[in-house]
Amino acid sequence: MATQDLTYRLNDGTSVPFIGFGTYPLRGEEGIAAMTSALEEGYRYLDTAVNYENEHEVGEALRRSGIPRGEVRLATKVPGRFHEKDLARRSLADSAERLGIEQIDVALIHWPNPSRDLYPQAWQALVQAQRDGLVRTIGVSNFTREHLERIIDDTGVTPALNQVELHPYFPQERLRETHEELGIRTQAWSPLGKNPTPFHEPAVADAAQAHGVSPAQVVLRWHVQLGSMPLPKSGTRARQAENLDVLGFELSEAEMGAISALERADGRRFGGDPDTHEEM
Ligand SMILES: NC(=O)c1ccc[n+]([C@@H]2O[C@H](COP(=O)([O-])OP(=O)(O)OC[C@H]3O[C@@H](n4cnc5c(N)ncnc54)[C@H](OP(=O)(O)O)[C@@H]3O)[C@@H](O)[C@H]2O)c1
């Protein structure tokens, strides 16, 4: 079994593993089986959201795995339709119930939806929920610098995490610098950069051959060396194990640079610019 001997310390004093498991779109019995095998392989952080409609399955996988509750972090997200303060609070309480846990380990705002201008209210609800103990760590997802500065100015509370699209075609250098400046940990969704993956690119394929690992492992190792916490999803036990096994080799500076240079102006997977793309 792979072990996770690298952790990131967050700005609220808690720690998270260097890698988490993405659970979308795993659902039903098949989904529970995939999440249980991920836990058995060594993942200790599961990423879900109200909108993935699988919070029950995430909680069930944890219970079936037999792993002590305190060893696993469950992370969920408040959707756009619940940004008003009271609705956001209710959303968190409902998530805890569906997950079957007393305290949510990590709660994020899923998208800022700036045209509605309610994300500052959702953040106030998260800050209050943390004070009340309903949530341990609070953060955001798909926030730009402007969104981050607004909620920090409003409340004096800096998110511990910002979960954003990040992969070799979209390396988010400027936003990662902003996170470093503000003390926010970068979390990466679609870390493998699917549709298409960059696995065939010489920068990735050559490094894979040089280190005797798979292209997916090279991309995940690139995340680790950037200080980004990737959340790869796989329904397959063998790939779950492969994706965890990235601490036994190191990419050179040249290899890191070549992978980051795969950036494209249209690198986003589906045009998910948080200033314009909104999800309810
Ligand atoms: N905050 C947000 O707005 C947001 C948006 C999107 C996603 N997310 C989160 O991020 C997680 C991951 O994102 P994602 O699923 O879009 O992208 P991903 O994890 O980068 O890619 C998943 C895809 O890659 C395949 N795969 C996994 N490991 C592989 C390997 N070693 N070799 C080859 N293929 C491999 C999977 O297939 P198999 O399952 O067949 O292995 C699946 O098709 C989601 O599950 C979700 O938790 C968040």
Side-chain angles (χ1 to χ4, degrees), residues 21-25 47-48 52 77 110-111 141-142 163 188-194 197 199 214 216-217 231-236 239 242-243 269-270 279:
F21 184 71
T23 69
Y24 183 78
D47 178 75
T48 181
Y52 300 172
K77 311 184 191 84
H110 205 150
W111 284 86
S141 179
N142 299 302
Q163 184 185 124
W189 62 259
S190 292
L192 298 173
K194 63 179 184 179
T197 61
F199 296 168
S214 72
Q217 287 173 311
L231 302 168
K233 170 263 169 187
S234 177
T236 317
R239 282 177 171 174
E242 174 186 325
N243 293 346
R269 280 193 40 230
F270 57 83
E279 288 193 9

Side-chain angles (χ1 to χ4, degrees), residues 85-107:
K85 201 171 173 188
D86 291 351
L87 295 181
R89 173 68 184 209
R90 179 82 241 158
S91 177
L92 293 168
D94 289 347
S95 286
E97 197 175 321
R98 281 189 294 270
L99 290 162
I101 57 179
E102 295 275 308
Q103 185 185 46
I104 297 171
D105 300 293
V106 179

Side-chain angles (χ1 to χ4, degrees), residues 1-2 4 21-24 26-47 54-68 72 74 232-238 240-241 244:
M1 181 164 105
Q4 299 185 53
F21 184 71
T23 69
Y24 183 78
L26 300 169
R27 290 197 193 107
E29 272 304 318
E30 211 178 309
I32 295 172
M35 296 177 207
T36 307
S37 79
L39 289 165
E40 287 167 358
E41 290 302 323
Y43 290 87
R44 291 295 178 266
Y45 186 110
L46 304 187
D47 178 75
N54 66 2
E55 288 172 308
H56 168 76
E57 285 91 328
V58 169
E60 190 57 26
L62 172 60
R63 286 183 289 281
R64 287 193 200 173
S65 74
I67 297 166
V72 180
L74 302 185
K233 170 263 169 187
S234 177
T236 317
R237 183 186 283 270
Q240 292 168 355
L244 265 185

